[in-house]
Amino acid sequence: MNAPTNILELLENPAPEVAPYLLGALVRHESPEGAVVVRLTEVEAYLGPRLSEDPDPGSHSYGGRTERNATMFGPPGHLYVYFSYGMHFSANLVCRPEGFSSGCLLRAGEIVEGLELARSRRPTAKRDAELAQGPARLAKAMGFKGEHNGLFALAGPVTVMLPETPANNIKSGPRVGISGPGGTAAYPWRFWLNGEPTVSKFRPGVVRAPRRPGSAAPRIQ
């Protein structure tokens, strides 16, 4: 694919093709508290259901369309925001024409505007590089919540601006924390800017045992 000049045109493509071009992009969220802007340094690509032309066993949509994952099926340019482990949100940018499931998880980035607001939202961060180092941290620093699921991300309170020139120091590998086939080298759909301190640390997926009532909740990535 040629270097894109229009982000909506870019988002018509499958997520594994889109993801590298999002590295270095600026995601801005204007909220009543103020604006926060993150420069993306890490993204992950996800595709579709088991019975589709591009099945992805690591995707939320692998088992088919549900009320929870419906936003992943388009139209492109919208946020798919989901709640996981009963404790935090993560945000994706939806790709491909409506009816197809595809999205890019906003996994990590550098806060380049609204630093004080991001710090107030992430008071446990020991240093600024940790403010958006991981999808849950990024979503919290940006102020993304369930109410933003389905929101158009290319105009209004949320905007995405591509870098003037595509990044050229990109690495790729297996996705983080995905158990089973979707987390193997057969799906090298995690992309990051090499050498960036904000990139999250890789950890392989593990099969989680069902939680017992009263057991401790998992830690935020």
Side-chain angles (χ1 to χ4, degrees):
M1 183 172 61
N2 295 327
T5 56
N6 180 289
I7 188 167
L8 194 54
E9 182 179 332
L10 169 66
L11 294 178
E12 291 286 333
N13 296 282
E17 297 179 28
V18 172
Y21 290 103
L22 292 179
L23 293 172
L26 299 178
V27 181
R28 181 183 187 89
H29 180 209
E30 293 270 3
S31 73
E33 302 169 286
V36 176
V37 180
V38 65
R39 181 179 68 91
L40 296 176
T41 59
E42 183 183 13
V43 295
E44 284 180 342
Y46 291 88
L47 288 177
R50 179 188 294 108
L51 300 179
S52 70
E53 63 186 44
D54 47 17
D56 178 0
S59 175
H60 281 185
S61 66
Y62 188 59
R65 184 169 183 152
T66 66
E67 183 178 354
R68 183 196 189 208
N69 67 30
T71 303
M72 275 197 76
F73 289 81
H78 291 248
L79 288 180
Y80 167 49
V81 180
Y82 65 90
F83 196 54
S84 59
Y85 303 133
M87 59 189 303
H88 64 260
F89 293 97
S90 295
N92 302 255
L93 188 59
V94 176
C95 310
R96 298 199 72 183
E98 189 167 5
F100 294 88
S101 172
S102 191
C104 292
L105 175 66
L106 310 183
R107 169 157 274 284
E110 174 193 10
I111 302 298
V112 296
E113 185 180 327
L115 192 57
E116 290 301 324
L117 178 53
R119 287 170 178 164
S120 72
R121 289 170 172 167
R122 289 271 296 113
T124 58
K126 297 179 180 178
R127 54 196 181 96
D128 290 345
E130 296 177 359
L131 288 171
Q133 190 180 46
R137 295 173 175 180
L138 184 151
K140 192 169 185 180
M142 294 294 291
F144 291 145
K145 300 177 182 178
E147 65 200 59
H148 298 108
N149 183 43
L151 184 71
F152 189 56
L154 306 183
V158 179
T159 56
V160 181
M161 180 181 296
L162 295 176
E164 291 185 5
T165 57
N168 57 16
N169 56 334
I170 297 173
K171 295 286 187 179
S172 65
R175 295 173 294 196
V176 176
I178 304 295
S179 60
T184 66
Y187 296 86
W189 293 344
R190 171 184 174 234
F191 302 86
W192 68 93
L193 294 177
N194 191 37
E196 287 281 347
T198 56
V199 172
S200 58
K201 295 176 175 59
F202 177 78
R203 58 176 175 79
V206 295
V207 177
R208 297 180 181 274
R211 287 180 57 194
R212 301 186 305 276
S215 61
R219 296 180 63 186
I220 294 179
Q221 163 62 22

